[in-house]
Amino acid sequence: MDPLSPFALIIGAIFVNNVVLAQFLGICPFLGVSKDVKSSLGMGGAVLFVMLLATLVTYLIQTYLLEPLDIKYLQTIAYILVIAGLVQMVEIVLKKIAPALYQTLGVFLPLITTNCAVLGVAILVIQKEMNLMQSIIYAGSIAIGFTLALVIFAGIREQMELTGVPKGMRGVPIALVTAGILAMAFMGFGGIVPTP
């Protein structure tokens, strides 16, 4: 099987090379927004939208501007500007359409701008020399994997609020232990498909 086939890209990005649990990108929103499932789903949706658009726009900028003009050294700056603009757009739209979700996400919505997962995917698709279709599939799958990890983690954290966690482990310590165990669980998917 071709490691860049759509099936391998999707399964690999969601389960095998999960952006949070295997590549450790996007840890800040993973730990910060994962206190309840509703906020996690909202954050996951916002990341999906921004990641898809950012990957599309940065791919086009790389292919039709940076490479032809031989100014690839501006890649990081150009990508950060694109991502910041897209996040600003998402923030404005959410404020109008879903004010409750906007309030729930609070400070974490602007943090998508500095979410290294969004920038990381935009750079990875160029480094792995993916075409436009593969890049979009990969970005969407990475965002779905991010959302899946976030929602599972939020569900576990909600359940832990109802159980008797020892006093010294409450809050961040138990969250980090839980994230580690969740990462080990996702390691079980390794070898299902060849990944790029």
Side-chain angles (χ1 to χ4, degrees), residues 18-189:
N18 186 286
V19 70
V20 176
L21 301 173
Q23 298 179 33
F24 306 111
L25 297 172
I27 295 292
C28 292
F30 178 70
L31 293 174
V33 184
S34 61
K35 292 186 177 147
D36 66 274
V37 174
K38 186 178 178 184
S39 297
S40 298
L41 283 170
M43 181 65 156
V47 168
L48 174 67
F49 180 73
V50 170
M51 199 174 282
L52 283 172
L53 275 179
T55 302
L56 173 66
V57 173
T58 55
Y59 182 90
L60 295 174
I61 287 172
Q62 180 75 24
T63 305
Y64 297 109
L65 184 67
L66 300 179
E67 287 178 3
L69 296 176
D70 198 27
I71 52 173
K72 291 183 266 188
Y73 55 87
L74 293 175
Q75 179 187 54
T76 304
I77 294 170
Y79 287 14
I80 289 172
L81 290 173
V82 166
I83 292 167
L86 289 172
V87 169
Q88 196 65 31
M89 185 177 73
V90 169
E91 193 171 355
I92 291 168
V93 168
L94 274 182
K95 196 172 187 178
K96 290 275 187 193
I97 294 176
L101 179 59
Y102 175 78
Q103 290 288 32
T104 303
L105 292 176
V107 71
F108 296 106
L109 191 57
L111 284 179
I112 295 176
T113 304
T114 58
N115 186 345
C116 52
V118 177
L119 179 61
V121 169
I123 291 172
L124 279 173
V125 297
I126 300 301
Q127 286 178 345
K128 294 182 182 204
E129 298 177 355
M130 295 181 184
N131 62 35
L132 183 59
M133 184 57 72
Q134 290 169 332
S135 299
I136 297 300
I137 291 170
Y138 185 71
S141 301
I142 286 284
I144 291 168
F146 176 82
T147 305
L148 178 67
L150 199 63
V151 169
I152 290 172
F153 191 55
I156 293 170
R157 286 182 80 176
E158 281 183 356
Q159 182 64 33
M160 282 191 300
E161 291 294 321
L162 304 173
T163 60
V165 177
K167 188 175 181 180
M169 290 295 291
R170 289 186 188 143
V172 175
I174 194 68
L176 292 175
V177 169
T178 305
I181 293 170
L182 191 58
M184 287 192 299
F186 269 66
M187 283 176 59
F189 292 111

